[in-house]
Amino acid sequence: MKKLCISALMLLCLAQASWAAENNNDPLEGWNRSVHQFNEVMDDYIARPAAKTYRAVLPKFVRNGIGNFFSNLGEIPTAANDILQAKPGAALEASGRFLINSTLGIFGLFDVATLFGIDEHSEDFGQTLAVWGVGSGPYLVLPFLGPSTLRDTASIYPNYYLSPVRYADLSEAETYGVLLLEQLHRRHDLLDAESIVQGDRYRFFKDAYLQSREYEIKDGQVEDKFDAGLDDLLLD
């Protein structure tokens, strides 16, 4: 893990230096728009229909349980990244949520910890790199995965490395099945938000992603700026 972190930091520092002279946070816009269009087609024909079928077939309480289950698994990498960010109190909260929901919440199917007043938060390795001072680098749209930055792209494997799914006693096919179900549930969560997307969809997703990441990295300390930016997007 230590070697992986060092390698990621070296890559990101070199990349950030090469882009330091750029005033535009989207120097790869031509590539990004092409990939965005590809992702839109895949979403139209595969992801959105699958998400709608998922919603139609499974009762709401089952979908809520699936969402709670994956959120509970996310407490482990959140706690690990809290430690890497020198936030012991937050790490304790995430660990406590995992223990409570894994036991009283029946393997995380029910969010009992929130009823006890322990609120959920989320941290990933991209946020950790930001806290360590690593710049985001240029905006980047990834095939199938969507909006990202160079920093967040470099953190994909460390995020997976910290995922409990990686260490579960599952076959390769079962592991991919669990990961696919998680992505399907996330896409289902976005169905109700589709109506707010207006104007240039590429720009909307880019601005929303970058502002959302800043909000997460700074633990909500840019809330007013985020809301203002979102209002501007909706008015365009």
Side-chain angles (χ1 to χ4, degrees):
M1 180 64 182
K2 182 178 179 181
K3 291 182 179 179
L4 184 63
C5 292
I6 293 174
S7 297
L9 281 170
M10 290 178 64
L11 172 64
L12 289 163
C13 288
L14 288 172
Q16 183 65 15
S18 67
W19 291 105
E22 292 284 353
N23 293 320
N24 179 9
N25 70 346
D26 193 7
L28 304 175
E29 183 172 354
W31 158 267
N32 286 336
R33 283 189 177 273
S34 296
V35 178
H36 168 80
Q37 187 59 40
F38 169 80
N39 288 343
E40 290 274 277
V41 172
M42 293 297 100
D43 187 67
D44 287 341
Y45 286 96
I46 299 176
R48 184 184 295 115
K52 289 182 176 180
T53 301
Y54 172 82
R55 172 174 289 188
V57 170
L58 296 182
K60 185 175 182 180
F61 78 91
V62 174
R63 288 183 273 118
N64 287 343
I66 292 173
N68 289 336
F69 174 79
F70 284 118
S71 292
N72 189 53
L73 292 184
E75 300 292 354
I76 296 177
T78 289
N81 281 288
D82 280 328
I83 293 172
L84 292 174
Q85 295 175 32
K87 299 175 181 176
L92 185 61
E93 288 183 353
S95 300
R97 283 184 56 85
F98 179 76
L99 291 174
I100 292 172
N101 287 339
S102 295
T103 53
L104 299 180
I106 311 177
F107 302 109
L109 295 177
F110 301 94
D111 185 4
V112 180
T114 295
L115 298 179
F116 289 170
I118 309 176
D119 294 330
E120 181 182 9
H121 70 283
S122 179
E123 300 286 349
D124 57 49
F125 195 66
Q127 292 168 254
T128 295
L129 290 176
V131 171
W132 289 353
V134 178
S136 68
Y139 177 67
L140 186 63
V141 181
L142 302 176
F144 302 106
L145 299 180
S148 185
T149 61
L150 185 61
R151 178 181 60 208
D152 288 342
T153 299
S155 69
I156 289 176
Y157 183 75
N159 286 334
Y160 174 65
Y161 190 90
L162 293 171
S163 172
V165 176
R166 183 177 184 273
Y167 303 98
D169 186 18
L170 301 172
S171 66
E172 184 176 357
E174 290 170 336
T175 298
Y176 283 121
V178 171
L179 295 175
L180 181 61
L181 177 61
E182 182 179 13
Q183 294 305 313
L184 179 61
H185 184 82
R186 288 184 177 182
R187 182 62 186 88
H188 139 271
D189 278 341
L190 296 174
L191 289 174
D192 294 332
E194 291 179 346
S195 61
I196 72 171
V197 181
Q198 300 178 17
D200 183 347
R201 291 176 62 86
Y202 170 79
R203 178 174 175 264
F204 184 97
F205 287 131
K206 180 187 74 172
D207 291 348
Y209 177 81
L210 294 176
Q211 291 178 33
S212 175
R213 286 302 280 171
E214 183 181 5
Y215 180 92
E216 293 167 348
I217 289 165
K218 296 184 178 179
D219 294 332
Q221 297 303 308
V222 294
E223 183 172 1
D224 292 339
K225 178 181 177 181
F226 176 80
D227 289 341
L230 185 57
D231 289 342
D232 290 341
L233 284 171
L234 294 178
L235 291 173
D236 281 350

